Amino acid sequence: MFFHCGKFKLDLSQPKVMGIVNVTPDSFSDGGRHLAFEAAVEHARRLIEEGADILDIGGESTRPGADPVSEQQELDRVLPVIEELAGISIPISIDTYKPEVMRAALAAGADMVNDVNALQSEGALDVVAKTTAGICLMHKQGAPQNMQQQPHYQQVSVEVNTFLRERLAAATAAGIALERLIIDPGFGFGKSLEHNLALLKNLHAFTLLGVPVLAGLSRKSMLGTITGREVGDRMAASIAAALISVQRGASVVRVHDVRATVDVLKVWRAIKE
Ligand code: 7PJ
């Protein structure tokens, strides 16, 4: 199966590693914007060296409890990084749910849109339909500000599956070819530990929707709950989760620890039938 992603056609007969690049100046003291730019570009180049197949660049944290940032702030963060990296040998994904950020990022050289809102924002379908960008449609329940307060499902896998099927239908109806689409159950986005585990166990069911599956579990709080480890100490748990995802049919894993994930997948491939 090939994933059409802007200038690229990714061969998903081998699982791919998407490396996370955050451009969020919050963690830097005064004058943070330039520092965040430098740090993000340096980090991106390191992830490419480590074997990343895609870079996912985001300027707004969608972690539980995170505050939204304005469109202008997000543009100011991500555009210089995309412009600087444009022309690298792997696809650049823009992690955003804002149509104007999608449009500007794709014009600046991004090849893919990773949308935690599954193109439900007003105008988002139109913006991407006019392009050749690859698109990740992710499921979430609620908004990042409150989604972990009381997630509720009758049958989480069935409901997430139905949602993603509907969003795939909306995307294809807007003129987006199936080859450009990938789906993601959205681990941690309005899900309890039990919901997340049920989704991971049943990940294979999502591949039956006919498009590749992306899984993002890296450093997430469910891994903290299982292991008792703080966010900076979840690499082993994250790699285990990435390997399980791939074994259950994921074609792309979204990770912080690219080098270690690449090694683990090499070992898995060595014994794959
Ligand atoms: C995901 C994401 C994910 C996709 C984030 C974090 C939270 N995009 N963006 N899937 N998670 N497609 O990395 O902890 O799971 S932000």
Side-chain angles (χ1 to χ4, degrees):
M1 191 150 36
F2 280 83
F3 176 46
H4 293 206
C5 187
K7 310 180 278 295
F8 298 86
K9 285 194 175 61
L10 292 187
D11 179 0
L12 299 184
S13 58
Q14 305 290 357
K16 296 289 179 261
V17 175
M18 171 188 258
I20 301 169
V21 179
N22 289 320
V23 200
T24 41
D26 322 42
S27 51
F28 298 89
S29 53
D30 224 40
R33 191 184 295 167
H34 189 66
L35 282 175
F37 166 82
E38 298 283 342
V41 170
E42 194 186 310
H43 189 64
R45 296 202 191 282
R46 184 160 80 240
L47 297 188
I48 298 170
E49 270 177 33
E50 291 182 358
D53 300 297
I54 306 172
L55 291 180
D56 190 35
I57 299 178
E60 170 173 4
S61 174
T62 44
R63 285 176 175 285
D67 287 326
V69 302
S70 74
E71 179 180 294
Q72 192 56 50
Q73 263 178 313
E74 200 178 330
L75 287 167
D76 290 345
R77 291 176 182 183
V78 296
L79 281 188
V81 175
I82 293 170
E83 284 162 5
E84 178 71 19
L85 293 173
I88 56 171
S89 56
I90 60 172
I92 296 174
S93 159
I94 173 72
D95 183 351
T96 190
Y97 58 86
K98 298 190 184 81
E100 184 50 30
V101 177
M102 295 173 190
R103 196 200 56 72
L106 294 173
D111 305 284
M112 173 175 175
V113 171
N114 173 25
D115 184 1
V116 300
N117 203 29
L119 301 180
Q120 293 178 104
S121 308
E122 177 88 40
L125 277 168
D126 288 341
V127 165
V128 295
K130 291 195 204 96
T131 71
T132 57
I135 297 142
C136 179
L137 302 170
M138 197 197 80
H139 173 273
K140 67 172 164 48
Q141 184 177 91
Q145 294 75 42
N146 59 22
M147 64 191 178
Q148 287 306 101
Q149 279 163 20
Q150 215 150 52
H152 179 77
Y153 302 85
Q154 300 287 341
Q155 275 191 289
V156 65
S157 292
V158 174
E159 287 168 52
V160 172
N161 209 285
T162 301
F163 171 84
L164 291 173
R165 188 158 7 95
E166 286 168 3
R167 295 314 299 159
L168 282 173
T172 50
I176 301 168
L178 269 186
E179 290 73 21
R180 292 172 52 199
L181 294 162
I182 188 162
I183 51 173
D184 180 347
F187 291 100
F189 284 82
K191 281 122 190 157
S192 67
L193 175 60
E194 188 192 5
H195 298 140
N196 286 316
L197 294 176
L199 289 169
L200 184 55
K201 262 187 162 169
N202 297 318
L203 197 64
H204 215 271
F206 294 102
T207 63
L208 304 177
L209 290 176
V211 297
V213 172
L214 184 151
L217 292 132
S218 186
R219 299 186 187 171
K220 284 193 175 169
S221 110
M222 63 180 282
L223 302 178
T225 308
I226 295 170
T227 60
R229 305 247 182 241
E230 290 305 316
V231 63
D233 199 13
R234 295 180 189 159
M235 186 165 83
S238 300
I239 291 163
L243 179 59
I244 293 168
S245 303
V246 164
Q247 285 174 326
R248 291 177 187 234
S251 293
V252 182
V253 285
R254 181 181 178 275
V255 305
H256 299 89
D257 302 294
V258 167
R259 203 177 95 107
T261 307
V262 166
D263 277 3
V264 164
L265 293 182
K266 281 183 182 165
V267 175
W268 172 74
R269 256 200 304 278
I271 56 94
K272 199 174 155 253
E273 328 265 289

